[in-house]
Amino acid sequence: MDSLADLESRAGREAPAFGARAHILCDNLVRIFKPEGATGVEVVALQGLDLLIGEGELVAIVGASGSGKSTLLNVLSGLDVPTAGLARVAGVDLLSMTPRDRLRFRRFVVGFIWQQTARNLLPYLTARENVALPMRLAGGTARRERRARAGELLELIGVADCADRRPGELSGGQQQRVAVAVALANSPQVILADEPTGELDSETSDTVFGALRHANRELGVTTVIVTHDPLVSEQVDRTIGIRDGRTSSETVRRTSSDGGVIAEEYAVLDRAGRLQLPREFTSALSMEHRVRLELERDHIGVWPDTRGDESND
Ligand code: ADP
Ligand code: MG
C-alpha cells in the first residue's frame, strides 16, 4: 500500500506547474536597473509580472510609456537577463542559459522586429540579401537555397516586388515588412515586435500588422506585438495591458454566434491574488489606500472605505 508520503509526492508531481503548457511564461518576473554610480535610484521596471501566452497566439501588449513593455520584450528575446522570477519561451529557461544557449536561442527560437526601421535591415544589402543573412549566419544552407527561401518569405509577406531593392529605396512600411521576413528567416517559434509601427502613419501601420497577422496565421508562429496603437487590439486575439511593470488587464476578442466580434475586458488576477483596479474606477469613487471587500454568492463587491480614519483612533 502507498504510504502517505508516496501519495503526497505523487499529488505534487501530478499537479501541473503554473503555465506548464504555455509557449511563453513569465512567473513573478522582476527586472531592476541599478544606477551605474553611487548616486541615482534603482528602477524596478518589472515588478513581479505574470504572463501566459499559448502556442500560435497573436497577442498585443499595450501600456503607457515607461510601463516596462520594452524591458519585457528584451527579456523574452534573450537580450536582457531578468533580476528574479521565471521566464520560459518555447521550453527554454531564460534565466539559466549559457552564453552559447543564448546565441542559439536568439538565432533559431525567436525573431525580433524593432521600432526603428534602420535597426532591422542592413542598408547596403538588398531586401532579399537581408532576409538571407540570418540563414547564412546560421550555416547549413547553400546560397541558392537561401535566395529561394528569402524570395518565398518576401512573397508571403507581400513585398516580393521589393526583393532587389536596398532599404533606402523602400518606404518605411515596406522596410518593416521586409523586417518581418528577416525575423522569420530561420523559422523561429516566436516573433517579438517592439512598436514595429511606431514610426509609421496609421494606413501604413495596417499593412505591417497585416503582414504579422498573415505570418501568424500561415506559419503558426506565436506573435507578440508591443504597440501604442489602440486600433491594433481589433486585429489580435488578445490584448494585454501592462501598468507599472505588471500585467493589469486583458481584452479578449471572440466572434459571437451572429458573426459579430465581441471584446471582453478583464482585470488580471495574479497568483498571489493581486488585481489592479482601473484608475478611472477608483478615482470615480475616491477609492484610495484601502477598500472594503464583500464576498457575494457569485461576485466580490468592492466598496470605498467610508469609515475614514477611525482605525487610527
Ligand atoms: P516602455 O517600453 O513601456 O516605455 P521600458 O521597458 O523601456 O518601458 O522602461 C521601463 C522603466 O525602466 C522606465 O522607467 C525606464 O526608464 C527604465 N529603464 C529601461 N531600461 C533601462 C536601463 N537600461 N537602465 C535604467 N533604466 C531603464
Ligand atoms: Mg518601449
Side-chain angles (χ1 to χ4, degrees):
M1 213 181 92
D2 290 339
S3 71
L4 185 60
D6 288 340
L7 289 172
E8 271 177 353
S9 82
R10 198 183 318 148
R13 258 203 324 271
E14 281 166 9
F18 174 68
R21 285 200 301 270
H23 208 207
I24 298 178
L25 157 80
C26 297
D27 186 0
N28 214 354
L29 197 62
V30 175
R31 177 63 170 104
I32 299 172
F33 291 108
K34 297 219 159 65
E36 297 272 320
T39 55
V41 286
E42 287 185 350
V43 177
V44 189
L46 300 177
Q47 334 204 6
L49 178 138
D50 291 341
L51 178 71
L52 292 177
I53 294 176
E55 185 160 9
E57 254 197 293
L58 173 63
V59 169
I61 293 186
V62 298
S65 174
S67 54
K69 305 181 298 296
S70 295
T71 304
L72 172 64
L73 244 57
N74 287 341
V75 168
L76 295 181
S77 67
L79 266 180
D80 187 27
V81 186
T83 311
L86 186 71
R88 209 173 59 216
V89 173
V92 180
D93 179 350
L94 300 185
L95 276 94
S96 65
M97 278 193 290
T98 64
R100 206 176 141 176
D101 292 342
R102 195 167 289 279
L103 185 68
R104 211 199 135 270
F105 176 80
R106 294 183 44 72
R107 198 163 272 172
F108 298 106
V109 183
V110 291
F112 203 89
I113 299 146
W114 302 93
Q115 171 176 351
Q116 301 86 348
T117 47
R119 203 167 163 184
N120 292 313
L121 304 174
L122 289 175
Y124 50 86
L125 296 182
T126 64
R128 188 197 305 274
E129 288 163 348
N130 265 289
V131 180
L133 183 62
M135 302 179 225
R136 201 171 104 200
L137 296 175
T141 48
R143 185 179 136 85
R144 263 188 53 189
E145 212 177 309
R146 294 196 297 263
R147 283 183 62 84
R149 176 163 165 76
E152 281 165 24
L153 283 170
L154 290 168
E155 175 109 47
L156 176 83
I157 299 303
V159 281
D161 53 326
C162 302
D164 298 315
R165 288 193 255 157
R166 293 198 170 82
E169 301 160 330
L170 301 173
S171 71
Q174 286 169 331
Q175 287 181 46
Q176 288 303 69
R177 283 192 281 164
V178 172
V180 174
V182 171
L184 290 168
N186 287 331
S187 310
Q189 298 191 43
V190 175
I191 290 280
L192 305 165
D194 193 355
E195 309 209 28
T197 63
E199 292 181 350
L200 307 176
D201 61 59
S202 61
E203 208 168 303
T204 315
S205 298
D206 262 4
T207 66
V208 176
F209 282 122
L212 285 163
R213 205 175 48 216
H214 190 64
N216 168 259
R217 295 284 185 261
E218 290 297 311
L219 306 173
V221 54
T222 306
T223 307
V224 182
I225 309 171
V226 165
T227 181
H228 263 112
D229 187 345
L231 290 176
V232 168
S233 54
E234 291 178 14
Q235 310 203 28
V236 297
D237 310 322
R238 192 150 67 100
T239 305
I240 298 172
I242 293 199
R243 208 169 97 191
D244 301 332
R246 283 203 192 108
T247 42
S248 63
S249 66
E250 279 196 19
T251 308
V252 178
R253 299 177 69 79
R254 59 184 177 85
T255 312
S256 66
S257 50
D258 62 7
V261 174
I262 301 174
E264 284 171 314
E265 229 181 296
Y266 296 87
V268 171
L269 180 66
D270 79 9
R271 292 217 292 151
R274 282 180 297 236
L275 118 84
Q276 288 195 4
L277 298 172
R279 228 160 251 158
E280 312 92 81
F281 290 18
T282 52
S283 56
L285 296 175
S286 306
M287 289 174 169
E288 54 183 26
H289 178 51
R290 68 181 186 190
V291 292
R292 204 160 49 75
L293 299 179
E294 228 160 86
L295 177 63
E296 305 286 346
R297 192 177 53 79
D298 60 351
H299 70 278
I300 297 169
V302 183
W303 279 268
D305 176 19
T306 49
R307 286 160 38 108
D309 284 332
E310 270 174 49
S311 60
N312 294 340
D313 293 350

